[in-house]
């Protein structure tokens, strides 16, 4: 499977209308593309994870706009949207004793490529395991 180690930005946002719009507008105004996004909510704040086209520029921008931002390396896996692909991937990581801490992805039309974002316990080993999987 084709995979790539990428930088993910995690942003804590107050949970009220307009905060996501402010963040995404600031990013868009700098011509930075959001390639993947996950939003987790709780009572007082949301936690947004994004993979963007220019992570260093985006991080500096968001910090200058007053957002709290942290970084992490993740694996972006390009897989075809067909039955069983996620099972093959997760079984391979399980055999290598790699824990998936969280994941998010995007869906397209059946048969097309999608990106699956993985935060794992052993990034380098997971990369090797995934890269060795032949896509069906």
């Amino acid at each position: 499977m084709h995979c790539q180690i990428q930088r993910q930005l995690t942003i804590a946002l107050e949970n009220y209308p307009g905060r996501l719009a402010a963040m995404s507008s600031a990013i868009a105004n700098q011509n930075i593309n959001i390639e993947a996004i996950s939003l987790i909510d709780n009572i007082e704040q949301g936690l947004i994870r994004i993979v963007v086209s220019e992570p260093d520029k985006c991080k500096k921008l968001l910090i200058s706009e007053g957002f709290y931002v942290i970084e992490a390396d993740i694996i972006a896996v390009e897989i075809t949207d067909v039955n069983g692909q996620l099972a093959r991937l997760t079984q391979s990581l399980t055999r290598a004793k790699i824990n998936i801490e969280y994941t998010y992805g995007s869906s397209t039309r059946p048969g097309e490529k999608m990106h699956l974002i993985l935060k794992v316990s052993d990034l380098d080993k997971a990369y090797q395991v995934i890269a060795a999987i032949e896509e069906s």
Side-chain angles (χ1 to χ4, degrees):
M1 289 183 180
H2 178 71
C3 58
Q4 184 175 20
I5 295 174
Q6 292 186 298
R7 178 70 38 167
Q8 171 191 266
L9 302 178
T10 301
I11 303 101
L13 287 180
E14 301 86 0
N15 197 3
Y16 63 84
R19 294 301 290 156
L20 181 58
M23 185 199 82
S24 60
S25 295
I27 293 171
N29 289 339
Q30 293 299 311
N31 294 319
I32 299 170
N33 187 36
I34 298 174
E35 299 172 353
I37 186 168
S38 167
L39 171 62
I40 303 167
D41 70 330
N42 66 28
I43 295 171
E44 295 182 7
Q45 69 178 17
L47 191 64
I48 296 180
R49 293 181 173 120
I50 56 173
V51 176
V52 296
S53 57
E54 300 177 71
D56 292 336
K57 180 179 176 183
C58 188
K59 180 182 177 187
K60 288 177 187 170
L61 167 71
L62 292 175
I63 290 172
S64 73
E65 295 285 329
F67 293 99
Y68 177 73
V69 181
I70 58 173
E71 300 175 277
D73 286 332
I74 49 84
I75 298 179
V77 184
E78 186 178 286
I79 60 176
T80 303
D81 183 14
V82 295
N83 288 340
Q85 288 289 66
L86 181 61
R88 292 182 62 228
L89 172 68
T90 55
Q91 289 167 359
S92 293
L93 293 173
T94 298
R95 283 192 294 274
K97 301 192 182 314
I98 296 170
N99 185 44
I100 299 171
E101 298 171 12
Y102 58 82
T103 184
Y104 55 96
S106 62
S107 181
T108 60
R109 286 175 277 188
E112 294 185 358
K113 300 281 187 185
M114 62 170 286
H115 282 107
L116 182 66
I117 308 299
L118 301 172
K119 177 73 169 91
V120 296
S121 59
D122 187 331
L123 190 69
D124 293 331
K125 188 175 178 182
Y127 179 86
Q128 292 171 1
V129 169
I130 294 167
I133 300 171
E134 290 189 29
E135 195 166 336
S136 57

Short mmCIF file of all heavy atoms in Angstrom, two decimals, residues 4-52:
data_model
loop_
_atom_site.label_atom_id
_atom_site.label_comp_id
_atom_site.label_asym_id
_atom_site.label_seq_id
_atom_site.Cartn_x
_atom_site.Cartn_y
_atom_site.Cartn_z
N GLN A 4 2.53 7.43 3.50
CA GLN A 4 3.45 8.56 3.62
C GLN A 4 3.37 9.10 5.05
O GLN A 4 2.28 9.27 5.59
CB GLN A 4 3.00 9.63 2.63
CG GLN A 4 3.87 10.83 2.54
CD GLN A 4 3.38 11.77 1.42
OE1 GLN A 4 2.24 11.71 0.98
NE2 GLN A 4 4.27 12.63 0.99
N ILE A 5 4.53 9.32 5.65
CA ILE A 5 4.54 9.96 6.98
C ILE A 5 4.33 11.45 6.77
O ILE A 5 5.03 12.07 5.97
CB ILE A 5 5.86 9.66 7.72
CG1 ILE A 5 5.96 8.16 8.00
CG2 ILE A 5 5.93 10.47 9.02
CD1 ILE A 5 7.27 7.72 8.61
N GLN A 6 3.35 11.99 7.48
CA GLN A 6 3.03 13.41 7.34
C GLN A 6 2.89 14.05 8.71
O GLN A 6 2.79 13.36 9.73
CB GLN A 6 1.71 13.58 6.56
CG GLN A 6 1.82 13.19 5.10
CD GLN A 6 0.56 13.52 4.33
OE1 GLN A 6 -0.49 13.00 4.63
NE2 GLN A 6 0.68 14.39 3.35
N ARG A 7 2.86 15.35 8.71
CA ARG A 7 2.70 16.13 9.93
C ARG A 7 1.22 16.45 10.12
O ARG A 7 0.57 16.91 9.19
CB ARG A 7 3.52 17.41 9.83
CG ARG A 7 3.46 18.37 10.96
CD ARG A 7 4.09 17.94 12.22
NE ARG A 7 5.33 17.21 12.07
CZ ARG A 7 6.15 16.97 13.06
NH1 ARG A 7 5.88 17.43 14.25
NH2 ARG A 7 7.22 16.26 12.88
N GLN A 8 0.72 16.19 11.30
CA GLN A 8 -0.67 16.52 11.66
C GLN A 8 -0.66 17.65 12.68
O GLN A 8 0.19 17.67 13.57
CB GLN A 8 -1.33 15.29 12.27
CG GLN A 8 -2.70 15.54 12.88
CD GLN A 8 -3.14 14.33 13.68
OE1 GLN A 8 -3.84 13.48 13.17
NE2 GLN A 8 -2.70 14.26 14.92
N LEU A 9 -1.58 18.56 12.54
CA LEU A 9 -1.74 19.63 13.52
C LEU A 9 -3.00 19.36 14.32
O LEU A 9 -4.05 19.02 13.75
CB LEU A 9 -1.85 20.99 12.82
CG LEU A 9 -0.67 21.37 11.91
CD1 LEU A 9 -0.94 22.72 11.27
CD2 LEU A 9 0.64 21.38 12.67
N THR A 10 -2.91 19.51 15.62
CA THR A 10 -4.06 19.37 16.50
C THR A 10 -4.32 20.72 17.13
O THR A 10 -3.41 21.35 17.68
CB THR A 10 -3.80 18.31 17.58
OG1 THR A 10 -3.52 17.06 16.93
CG2 THR A 10 -5.01 18.14 18.50
N ILE A 11 -5.56 21.18 17.03
CA ILE A 11 -5.93 22.50 17.49
C ILE A 11 -7.08 22.38 18.50
O ILE A 11 -8.08 21.72 18.21
CB ILE A 11 -6.39 23.40 16.31
CG1 ILE A 11 -5.29 23.50 15.26
CG2 ILE A 11 -6.78 24.79 16.79
CD1 ILE A 11 -5.49 22.62 14.07
N ALA A 12 -6.92 23.01 19.64
CA ALA A 12 -8.00 23.05 20.63
C ALA A 12 -8.83 24.29 20.34
O ALA A 12 -8.30 25.40 20.23
CB ALA A 12 -7.43 23.10 22.04
N LEU A 13 -10.14 24.11 20.19
CA LEU A 13 -11.04 25.22 19.90
C LEU A 13 -12.13 25.30 20.95
O LEU A 13 -12.68 24.28 21.35
CB LEU A 13 -11.74 25.02 18.55
CG LEU A 13 -10.95 25.19 17.28
CD1 LEU A 13 -11.85 24.94 16.08
CD2 LEU A 13 -10.34 26.57 17.20
N GLU A 14 -12.46 26.52 21.35
CA GLU A 14 -13.62 26.71 22.21
C GLU A 14 -14.85 26.22 21.46
O GLU A 14 -14.95 26.39 20.26
CB GLU A 14 -13.79 28.19 22.59
CG GLU A 14 -12.62 28.79 23.30
CD GLU A 14 -11.55 29.33 22.33
OE1 GLU A 14 -11.72 29.23 21.11
OE2 GLU A 14 -10.54 29.83 22.83
N ASN A 15 -15.78 25.60 22.19
CA ASN A 15 -16.94 25.00 21.56
C ASN A 15 -18.10 26.00 21.48
O ASN A 15 -19.04 25.93 22.25
CB ASN A 15 -17.35 23.74 22.34
CG ASN A 15 -18.26 22.86 21.55
OD1 ASN A 15 -18.57 23.14 20.39
ND2 ASN A 15 -18.71 21.77 22.16
N TYR A 16 -17.99 26.91 20.52
CA TYR A 16 -19.10 27.82 20.24
C TYR A 16 -19.09 28.19 18.76
O TYR A 16 -18.07 28.06 18.09
CB TYR A 16 -19.09 29.05 21.17
CG TYR A 16 -17.91 29.97 21.07
CD1 TYR A 16 -17.85 30.95 20.09
CD2 TYR A 16 -16.87 29.87 21.96
CE1 TYR A 16 -16.77 31.81 20.02
CE2 TYR A 16 -15.78 30.72 21.89
CZ TYR A 16 -15.74 31.68 20.92
OH TYR A 16 -14.66 32.54 20.85
N PRO A 17 -20.23 28.64 18.25
CA PRO A 17 -20.35 28.89 16.81
C PRO A 17 -19.30 29.87 16.30
O PRO A 17 -19.02 30.89 16.94
CB PRO A 17 -21.76 29.47 16.66
CG PRO A 17 -22.51 28.95 17.83
CD PRO A 17 -21.50 28.86 18.95
N GLY A 18 -18.74 29.54 15.17
CA GLY A 18 -17.82 30.44 14.50
C GLY A 18 -16.35 30.12 14.67
O GLY A 18 -15.52 30.65 13.92
N ARG A 19 -15.99 29.30 15.64
CA ARG A 19 -14.55 29.03 15.87
C ARG A 19 -13.95 28.21 14.72
O ARG A 19 -12.87 28.51 14.26
CB ARG A 19 -14.33 28.33 17.21
CG ARG A 19 -14.66 29.19 18.39
CD ARG A 19 -13.84 30.48 18.43
NE ARG A 19 -12.45 30.19 18.74
CZ ARG A 19 -11.42 30.96 18.42
NH1 ARG A 19 -11.62 32.08 17.77
NH2 ARG A 19 -10.19 30.62 18.72
N LEU A 20 -14.66 27.19 14.26
CA LEU A 20 -14.16 26.39 13.14
C LEU A 20 -14.12 27.25 11.87
O LEU A 20 -13.18 27.16 11.08
CB LEU A 20 -15.00 25.13 12.93
CG LEU A 20 -14.57 24.22 11.79
CD1 LEU A 20 -13.13 23.75 11.98
CD2 LEU A 20 -15.50 23.01 11.70
N ALA A 21 -15.12 28.09 11.70
CA ALA A 21 -15.13 28.98 10.53
C ALA A 21 -13.95 29.94 10.56
O ALA A 21 -13.32 30.18 9.53
CB ALA A 21 -16.45 29.77 10.50
N ALA A 22 -13.62 30.48 11.75
CA ALA A 22 -12.48 31.38 11.87
C ALA A 22 -11.18 30.67 11.54
O ALA A 22 -10.33 31.19 10.80
CB ALA A 22 -12.43 31.97 13.28
N MET A 23 -11.03 29.46 12.08
CA MET A 23 -9.80 28.70 11.82
C MET A 23 -9.67 28.34 10.34
O MET A 23 -8.64 28.57 9.72
CB MET A 23 -9.78 27.43 12.67
CG MET A 23 -8.48 26.65 12.54
SD MET A 23 -8.63 24.94 13.07
CE MET A 23 -9.34 24.22 11.59
N SER A 24 -10.74 27.79 9.77
CA SER A 24 -10.66 27.36 8.37
C SER A 24 -10.54 28.54 7.42
O SER A 24 -9.87 28.44 6.38
CB SER A 24 -11.85 26.46 8.02
OG SER A 24 -13.07 27.15 8.21
N SER A 25 -11.13 29.67 7.76
CA SER A 25 -11.00 30.87 6.92
C SER A 25 -9.56 31.39 6.94
O SER A 25 -9.03 31.78 5.90
CB SER A 25 -11.95 31.96 7.40
OG SER A 25 -13.28 31.55 7.22
N ALA A 26 -8.95 31.39 8.12
CA ALA A 26 -7.55 31.84 8.22
C ALA A 26 -6.65 30.95 7.36
O ALA A 26 -5.76 31.44 6.65
CB ALA A 26 -7.09 31.81 9.68
N ILE A 27 -6.90 29.66 7.41
CA ILE A 27 -6.10 28.72 6.60
C ILE A 27 -6.35 28.95 5.11
O ILE A 27 -5.42 29.02 4.31
CB ILE A 27 -6.44 27.26 7.01
CG1 ILE A 27 -5.95 27.00 8.44
CG2 ILE A 27 -5.83 26.27 6.03
CD1 ILE A 27 -6.42 25.68 9.02
N ALA A 28 -7.61 29.07 4.74
CA ALA A 28 -7.96 29.27 3.32
C ALA A 28 -7.37 30.57 2.78
O ALA A 28 -6.91 30.62 1.63
CB ALA A 28 -9.47 29.26 3.16
N ASN A 29 -7.38 31.62 3.60
CA ASN A 29 -6.86 32.92 3.16
C ASN A 29 -5.37 32.87 2.84
O ASN A 29 -4.86 33.74 2.14
CB ASN A 29 -7.15 34.00 4.19
CG ASN A 29 -8.62 34.35 4.25
OD1 ASN A 29 -9.37 34.10 3.30
ND2 ASN A 29 -9.06 34.90 5.37
N GLN A 30 -4.67 31.88 3.35
CA GLN A 30 -3.24 31.71 3.06
C GLN A 30 -3.00 30.66 1.98
O GLN A 30 -1.87 30.21 1.79
CB GLN A 30 -2.49 31.34 4.34
CG GLN A 30 -2.48 32.46 5.37
CD GLN A 30 -1.80 33.71 4.85
OE1 GLN A 30 -0.71 33.66 4.31
NE2 GLN A 30 -2.47 34.86 4.99
N ASN A 31 -4.06 30.22 1.32
CA ASN A 31 -3.99 29.21 0.25
C ASN A 31 -3.39 27.89 0.71
O ASN A 31 -2.67 27.22 -0.02
CB ASN A 31 -3.22 29.75 -0.96
CG ASN A 31 -3.94 30.88 -1.63
OD1 ASN A 31 -5.17 30.82 -1.79
ND2 ASN A 31 -3.21 31.92 -2.00
N ILE A 32 -3.66 27.54 1.96
CA ILE A 32 -3.25 26.25 2.50
C ILE A 32 -4.45 25.32 2.38
O ILE A 32 -5.56 25.66 2.77
CB ILE A 32 -2.80 26.38 3.97
CG1 ILE A 32 -1.60 27.33 4.07
CG2 ILE A 32 -2.47 25.00 4.54
CD1 ILE A 32 -1.25 27.72 5.50
N ASN A 33 -4.22 24.13 1.84
CA ASN A 33 -5.30 23.18 1.63
C ASN A 33 -5.42 22.21 2.81
O ASN A 33 -4.43 21.64 3.25
CB ASN A 33 -5.05 22.37 0.34
CG ASN A 33 -6.23 21.49 -0.01
OD1 ASN A 33 -7.38 21.87 0.20
ND2 ASN A 33 -5.94 20.32 -0.52
N ILE A 34 -6.64 22.05 3.32
CA ILE A 34 -6.90 21.03 4.34
C ILE A 34 -7.18 19.72 3.62
O ILE A 34 -8.17 19.59 2.91
CB ILE A 34 -8.10 21.44 5.23
CG1 ILE A 34 -7.78 22.73 5.97
CG2 ILE A 34 -8.42 20.31 6.21
CD1 ILE A 34 -8.95 23.30 6.77
N GLU A 35 -6.29 18.75 3.79
CA GLU A 35 -6.39 17.48 3.08
C GLU A 35 -7.18 16.44 3.86
O GLU A 35 -7.73 15.50 3.27
CB GLU A 35 -4.98 16.96 2.76
CG GLU A 35 -4.20 17.94 1.88
CD GLU A 35 -2.75 17.56 1.71
OE1 GLU A 35 -2.27 16.63 2.38
OE2 GLU A 35 -2.07 18.23 0.89
N ALA A 36 -7.20 16.56 5.18
CA ALA A 36 -7.98 15.64 6.02
C ALA A 36 -8.31 16.37 7.31
O ALA A 36 -7.54 17.22 7.77
CB ALA A 36 -7.18 14.37 6.33
N ILE A 37 -9.46 16.04 7.90
CA ILE A 37 -9.88 16.71 9.13
C ILE A 37 -10.69 15.76 10.00
O ILE A 37 -11.43 14.92 9.50
CB ILE A 37 -10.69 17.99 8.82
CG1 ILE A 37 -11.00 18.77 10.11
CG2 ILE A 37 -11.96 17.65 8.05
CD1 ILE A 37 -11.53 20.18 9.84
N SER A 38 -10.49 15.90 11.30
CA SER A 38 -11.27 15.17 12.29
C SER A 38 -11.64 16.15 13.39
O SER A 38 -10.80 16.97 13.80
CB SER A 38 -10.43 14.02 12.87
OG SER A 38 -11.04 13.49 14.02
N LEU A 39 -12.87 16.10 13.86
CA LEU A 39 -13.31 16.97 14.94
C LEU A 39 -13.92 16.11 16.04
O LEU A 39 -14.82 15.32 15.79
CB LEU A 39 -14.36 17.98 14.44
CG LEU A 39 -15.07 18.82 15.51
CD1 LEU A 39 -14.07 19.68 16.27
CD2 LEU A 39 -16.13 19.67 14.87
N ILE A 40 -13.39 16.27 17.24
CA ILE A 40 -13.91 15.57 18.41
C ILE A 40 -14.42 16.65 19.35
O ILE A 40 -13.71 17.62 19.64
CB ILE A 40 -12.79 14.77 19.10
CG1 ILE A 40 -12.18 13.78 18.12
CG2 ILE A 40 -13.33 14.07 20.34
CD1 ILE A 40 -10.88 13.17 18.62
N ASP A 41 -15.63 16.49 19.83
CA ASP A 41 -16.17 17.51 20.72
C ASP A 41 -16.28 16.99 22.14
O ASP A 41 -16.33 15.80 22.39
CB ASP A 41 -17.54 17.98 20.24
CG ASP A 41 -18.60 16.93 20.40
OD1 ASP A 41 -18.27 15.73 20.33
OD2 ASP A 41 -19.77 17.28 20.60
N ASN A 42 -16.26 17.92 23.07
CA ASN A 42 -16.63 17.63 24.45
C ASN A 42 -17.38 18.86 24.95
O ASN A 42 -17.74 19.72 24.17
CB ASN A 42 -15.44 17.22 25.31
CG ASN A 42 -14.45 18.34 25.50
OD1 ASN A 42 -14.80 19.50 25.47
ND2 ASN A 42 -13.19 17.99 25.70
N ILE A 43 -17.59 18.97 26.21
CA ILE A 43 -18.47 20.02 26.72
C ILE A 43 -17.90 21.42 26.48
O ILE A 43 -18.60 22.32 26.03
CB ILE A 43 -18.74 19.81 28.22
CG1 ILE A 43 -19.53 18.51 28.39
CG2 ILE A 43 -19.51 20.99 28.81
CD1 ILE A 43 -19.69 18.06 29.82
N GLU A 44 -16.63 21.61 26.76
CA GLU A 44 -16.09 22.96 26.73
C GLU A 44 -15.28 23.32 25.48
O GLU A 44 -15.12 24.48 25.15
CB GLU A 44 -15.24 23.21 27.97
CG GLU A 44 -16.07 23.18 29.23
CD GLU A 44 -15.25 23.48 30.45
OE1 GLU A 44 -14.07 23.83 30.31
OE2 GLU A 44 -15.78 23.36 31.55
N GLN A 45 -14.71 22.31 24.83
CA GLN A 45 -13.90 22.62 23.66
C GLN A 45 -13.90 21.47 22.68
O GLN A 45 -14.21 20.34 23.04
CB GLN A 45 -12.47 22.98 24.05
CG GLN A 45 -11.67 21.83 24.59
CD GLN A 45 -10.23 22.26 24.90
OE1 GLN A 45 -9.93 23.43 25.00
NE2 GLN A 45 -9.37 21.29 25.04
N GLY A 46 -13.55 21.80 21.45
CA GLY A 46 -13.39 20.80 20.42
C GLY A 46 -11.92 20.55 20.18
O GLY A 46 -11.07 21.39 20.47
N LEU A 47 -11.62 19.40 19.67
CA LEU A 47 -10.26 19.04 19.32
C LEU A 47 -10.25 18.70 17.84
O LEU A 47 -10.93 17.77 17.42
CB LEU A 47 -9.80 17.84 20.15
CG LEU A 47 -8.34 17.50 20.10
CD1 LEU A 47 -7.50 18.62 20.70
CD2 LEU A 47 -8.08 16.20 20.83
N ILE A 48 -9.53 19.50 17.08
CA ILE A 48 -9.50 19.32 15.63
C ILE A 48 -8.13 18.82 15.21
O ILE A 48 -7.11 19.39 15.63
CB ILE A 48 -9.82 20.64 14.91
CG1 ILE A 48 -11.24 21.06 15.26
CG2 ILE A 48 -9.64 20.51 13.41
CD1 ILE A 48 -11.68 22.32 14.63
N ARG A 49 -8.13 17.78 14.41
CA ARG A 49 -6.89 17.27 13.83
C ARG A 49 -6.97 17.52 12.34
O ARG A 49 -7.97 17.15 11.71
CB ARG A 49 -6.72 15.78 14.13
CG ARG A 49 -6.52 15.50 15.60
CD ARG A 49 -6.34 14.02 15.83
NE ARG A 49 -5.98 13.79 17.21
CZ ARG A 49 -6.69 13.05 18.06
NH1 ARG A 49 -7.79 12.46 17.65
NH2 ARG A 49 -6.30 12.90 19.30
N ILE A 50 -5.92 18.12 11.79
CA ILE A 50 -5.90 18.39 10.36
C ILE A 50 -4.56 17.99 9.76
O ILE A 50 -3.52 18.04 10.40
CB ILE A 50 -6.18 19.88 10.03
CG1 ILE A 50 -5.21 20.80 10.74
CG2 ILE A 50 -7.62 20.24 10.33
CD1 ILE A 50 -5.32 22.27 10.33
N VAL A 51 -4.64 17.55 8.52
CA VAL A 51 -3.46 17.35 7.69
C VAL A 51 -3.59 18.36 6.56
O VAL A 51 -4.64 18.42 5.90
CB VAL A 51 -3.39 15.91 7.14
CG1 VAL A 51 -2.20 15.75 6.19
CG2 VAL A 51 -3.31 14.90 8.28
N VAL A 52 -2.56 19.19 6.41
CA VAL A 52 -2.65 20.29 5.46
C VAL A 52 -1.49 20.25 4.48
O VAL A 52 -0.48 19.56 4.70
CB VAL A 52 -2.67 21.66 6.18
CG1 VAL A 52 -3.90 21.79 7.05
CG2 VAL A 52 -1.41 21.86 7.00
#
